[in-house]
Amino acid sequence: MTALESFRFENDRFENGLFEAERFDLSLSENPFPPLPSVLGALDEALATANRYPEFRPRLLPELIAGHIGARADQVVAGAGATGVAMQIMQTLPRRGARFVFAAPTFDGYPILAGMTGLRAAPVPLDAHGRQDLWAMSRLIDRDTGLVAICRPHNPTGTVVSGSELKAFLCAVPAGVPVLLDEAYFEFLGASEVLDAVELVHRHPNVLVLRTFSKAYGLAGLRIGYAFGSPDLIRRVQRLQLPFGVPALAAAAVRASYAAEYELGERILHITTQRELLRTRLRRAGIRVPRSSANFLYLPGADIARSLARAGIAAKRYADGSVRIAVGDPVADRAVVRALTAPPRPHSRPLSTDDSHLVALTAPYAPSAAPAPRRR
């Protein structure tokens, strides 16, 4: 959605009485719950030393992360959320003016960061099932390609490329082309979908795996992200490490989060259970929601964004009227169901047994408008 389209959309909401006071903001795929209680306790203790500068360049945080994932500390780079680390990667690995290949629609940050770092965005439409078309992407990779991004699960549809398909794709990518494997929603993957990412980067030294503590761990406000890969790529990315850029609170939060894996597992189970309950209710109402392996659902349809806005529900909007919504809060989930199922949708049709994987994405990709400021 362009800036002009966004303005017209918002103006239409007011002129036609579609706007209610914002009741739920589901636009940023945030965890609806605060950090785990033990993590909050650790942060309270760490605040006592907030008068001191953090490490000039983070050493403790990469060591903590490396020990947890089974890598070496020189294979990990930490930064200001996954977005901050992605920007370091885009500033250091591809040459300016190189092509950046990714599926579209995708995480809005990628085309934005491409513009900031002088890369040429090369979006590849998703297939008719809402999945990344790896083979169409591979056909775009040539000597002018400086970076490729694969999201697993994909943002915004929540679909997951299979391990075998991903491995075959990586074998087809030239060794000199860096591949950013975005696993921002890694913790929500099912057991059968999880890959040994450390082994993957060992076999493919051009791969960097990107993760965050913003989603499952509920630490979005602390901006803790990291990437891991070959020591050579990590050294190059670290050249743009911002001095004092990772707060000491980050290490305390990560240590406490890793120590609370059981509680984290319970929280993830709650969120994914709510996701499936909501998806089932919406599909029964005729909305063709693809199966998601993240903490959000993608709702295709030209009138979805308008229906949610009418109910005071903020969602991530796309150019064709479809949306992505965060899940996990039962009250918000019920509000979504009410907004989209009453009155009944006039053009809904029965779903076949194959529809759990179906979503048509035919609109051209354009980053959606920024969410409206929160009301306090």
Side-chain angles (χ1 to χ4, degrees):
M1 183 177 291
T2 66
L4 179 58
E5 289 170 334
S6 175
F7 173 79
R8 287 173 176 167
F9 179 83
E10 298 294 339
N11 190 58
D12 182 63
R13 291 170 66 193
F14 282 97
E15 288 186 351
N16 293 283
L18 299 180
F19 180 80
E20 294 182 6
E22 183 179 295
R23 300 163 55 214
F24 301 102
D25 185 353
L26 308 181
S27 62
L28 293 176
S29 64
E30 293 166 319
N31 192 316
F33 306 107
L36 297 167
S38 58
V39 177
L40 287 173
L43 290 172
D44 283 342
E45 292 182 12
L47 280 173
T49 60
N51 58 307
R52 302 293 184 184
Y53 279 102
E55 294 177 303
F56 184 77
R57 288 189 176 178
R59 175 191 56 82
L60 180 57
L61 185 56
E63 289 178 353
L64 284 170
I65 294 169
H68 185 78
I69 66 175
R72 301 198 313 267
D74 64 353
Q75 292 182 273
V76 178
V77 59
T83 304
V85 178
M87 185 164 187
Q88 287 180 236
I89 291 169
M90 295 168 72
Q91 287 176 312
T92 54
L93 298 187
R95 60 174 175 77
R96 191 171 183 84
R99 178 183 292 168
F100 177 27
V101 178
F102 53 85
T106 189
F107 167 51
D108 270 359
Y110 285 142
I112 293 171
L113 294 177
M116 294 172 66
T117 56
L119 300 181
R120 291 186 292 121
V124 177
L126 301 178
D127 67 18
H129 303 285
R131 296 191 295 255
Q132 296 160 102
D133 190 340
L134 298 190
W135 307 117
M137 295 173 70
S138 69
R139 289 193 291 271
L140 273 186
I141 300 173
D142 57 18
R143 65 180 62 187
D144 292 327
T145 303
L147 185 66
V148 179
I150 305 291
C151 296
R152 193 174 187 272
H154 187 60
N155 179 3
T157 60
T159 54
V160 181
V161 297
S162 70
S164 58
E165 187 179 5
L166 175 64
K167 291 173 183 178
F169 172 78
L170 293 176
C171 288
V173 176
V177 176
V179 176
L180 183 58
L181 179 58
D182 185 335
E183 290 192 336
Y185 303 91
F186 161 77
E187 290 82 5
F188 296 99
L189 288 171
S192 63
E193 298 170 325
V194 175
L195 295 176
D196 185 341
V198 174
E199 173 64 19
L200 196 69
V201 300
H202 175 73
R203 290 183 176 273
H204 300 279
N206 59 324
V207 173
L208 281 168
V209 180
L210 184 67
R211 292 181 183 169
T212 182
F213 287 87
S214 295
K215 305 303 181 182
Y217 290 97
L219 299 174
L222 291 185
R223 312 307 301 130
I224 311 170
Y226 66 95
F228 61 93
S230 70
D232 175 61
L233 288 187
I234 294 300
R235 277 193 298 270
R236 292 167 62 186
V237 175
Q238 285 175 331
R239 289 186 303 199
L240 287 185
Q241 188 82 54
L242 179 68
F244 304 116
V246 177
L249 285 175
V254 168
R255 184 186 292 107
S257 294
Y258 283 158
E261 286 292 298
Y262 179 78
E263 291 88 344
L264 178 69
E266 287 186 323
R267 180 163 288 182
I268 291 172
L269 178 60
H270 173 85
I271 291 172
T272 55
T273 299
Q274 288 297 131
R275 180 193 68 204
E276 293 308 302
L277 288 172
L278 177 58
R279 178 173 177 269
T280 298
R281 290 168 183 150
L282 294 175
R283 280 172 41 78
R284 285 175 179 170
I287 302 173
R288 306 168 72 81
V289 186
R291 189 180 300 279
S292 172
S293 292
N295 68 332
F296 55 77
L297 289 174
Y298 182 83
L299 312 183
D303 60 341
I304 297 291
R306 189 177 301 276
S307 297
L308 291 178
R310 186 180 293 113
I313 300 171
K316 180 65 178 176
R317 303 190 304 273
Y318 295 89
D320 62 349
S322 301
V323 304
R324 185 199 67 200
I325 56 169
V327 300
D329 179 351
V331 179
D333 291 350
R334 287 194 294 269
V336 169
V337 172
R338 287 194 298 270
L340 298 180
T341 61
R345 297 166 55 79
H347 302 299
S348 63
R349 59 190 175 105
L351 296 173
S352 72
T353 56
D354 296 330
D355 282 340
S356 60
H357 299 288
L358 291 180
V359 55
L361 295 171
T362 56
Y365 172 70
S368 63
R374 296 176 186 268
R375 288 168 175 78
R376 300 187 183 277

